[in-house]
Amino acid sequence: MRIDALTVELRPRSMYEASDLGVLLVQTHARSVWRTCGPVFGVVMLLALSTVEIAPWLPGLLIFWLKPWLDRSVLFVLSRALFGQPTTFADLWHARSSVWWQQLPRTLTFRRLSPWRSFTQPIYQLEGQSGRALRQRSSQLLSGQRWEASLMHTVFATAEMVLNIGLVGVLIWLAPNGGGLGFFQWLTSSDHVLTSLLGTLAYAVVVLVLEPFYVAAGFAMYLNRRVELEAWDVEQEFRRAFSA
């Protein structure tokens, strides 16, 4: 190996710019992301829809509450993609114990409503720490970054709401013969089960499309924070160089 062949390009990046790079990561590895995570999203959607007879509002609530659990599969794919490893559903299935079931109670309780869960999820899922060390690590990476992480979370929550409203608007707009108003009145006054099913399907589509970008944005912000604190990118360059 020639040391002069080693090239490291360093440039400070803001957390907002880092989140943009996360979106690019999903676009680059879109096939692995949706091919691997699509079946997981599909199973969750079917299970949620099966509860519509219990309460019309329950399917949407289940999908909403299980999003952090779904995010774990997306992060698994993205963490491998970062090192150039394509992922299939078989890979996810083999790692299901650590990806799906590890830290499940915390994922669905304390961390469900965290405004920076996408930013801190890699700490919990990828670093393998627990107890006091985990709390200290989370505080270290979050220090001075809570506003940026919360703002990113708010942007995606707003985008999710707008897309859901937009899907309903498209249905009304595409109603034949100017019947959009009549369709809307029929939808809101018809059987609650049918309305819930349509609303849940629209919400599930939005989550399927948007959630990988949300996870990737938080993951990229996490990596950017590690670069600031630990020069993580330089370490990876040296590992690649000396393994060649």
Side-chain angles (χ1 to χ4, degrees):
M1 186 203 74
R2 294 173 53 195
I3 296 297
D4 59 0
L6 177 64
T7 302
V8 181
E9 296 183 3
L10 299 177
R11 179 172 67 83
R13 299 182 186 274
S14 69
M15 296 298 275
Y16 305 117
E17 187 178 6
S19 65
D20 291 339
L21 294 177
V23 172
L24 181 62
L25 181 64
V26 174
Q27 293 174 338
T28 305
H29 301 278
R31 183 176 181 182
S32 286
V33 171
W34 278 290
R35 180 181 57 184
T36 304
C37 301
V40 182
F41 276 74
V43 169
V44 168
M45 184 188 72
L46 290 175
L47 289 175
L49 290 175
S50 68
T51 66
V52 71
E53 293 290 349
I54 300 175
W57 46 264
L58 188 55
L61 178 62
L62 285 176
I63 293 177
F64 168 79
W65 206 263
L66 287 173
K67 283 199 295 182
W69 183 79
L70 294 169
D71 293 348
R72 295 181 66 89
S73 297
V74 178
L75 183 58
F76 173 75
V77 177
L78 295 178
S79 64
R80 290 167 55 91
L82 186 67
F83 296 97
Q85 301 178 36
T87 305
T88 64
F89 183 77
D91 299 318
L92 178 60
W93 181 256
H94 291 150
R96 64 189 182 279
S97 178
S98 60
V99 177
W100 292 344
W101 311 126
Q102 194 175 58
Q103 302 171 338
L104 181 62
R106 178 181 292 270
T107 298
L108 298 181
T109 53
F110 298 108
R111 302 198 62 251
R112 175 59 194 88
L113 299 178
S114 170
W116 41 73
R117 62 181 174 84
S118 177
F119 176 62
T120 56
Q121 182 61 39
I123 307 173
Y124 289 84
Q125 184 172 338
L126 303 178
E127 295 195 4
Q129 302 185 63
S130 60
R132 183 178 180 182
L134 178 60
R135 291 191 295 272
Q136 290 178 339
R137 178 63 168 167
S138 180
S139 296
Q140 180 191 33
L141 267 68
L142 271 172
S143 179
Q145 308 300 324
R146 285 177 171 83
W147 167 253
E148 288 83 354
S150 299
L151 183 59
M152 184 271 289
H153 177 89
T154 302
V155 168
F156 274 92
T158 303
E160 182 180 278
M161 179 184 66
V162 170
L163 287 174
N164 273 285
I165 295 173
L167 279 180
V168 176
V170 167
L171 290 175
I172 296 174
W173 181 58
L174 293 178
N177 300 323
L181 180 59
F183 173 78
F184 178 75
Q185 292 173 340
W186 170 81
L187 184 63
T188 54
S189 63
S190 61
D191 182 40
H192 290 302
V193 172
L194 177 60
T195 304
S196 177
L197 287 175
L198 290 175
T200 302
L201 285 173
Y203 181 54
V205 169
V206 171
V207 170
L208 174 62
V209 172
L210 196 61
E211 201 67 12
F213 293 99
Y214 170 68
V215 176
F219 184 39
M221 293 173 72
Y222 159 82
L223 294 175
N224 191 61
R225 183 64 171 151
R226 289 195 60 180
V227 168
E228 293 176 354
L229 295 175
E230 308 159 5
W232 181 84
D233 54 340
V234 177
E235 176 187 345
Q236 300 308 312
E237 290 291 345
F238 273 104
R239 286 187 177 184
R240 293 190 187 99
F242 284 96
S243 64

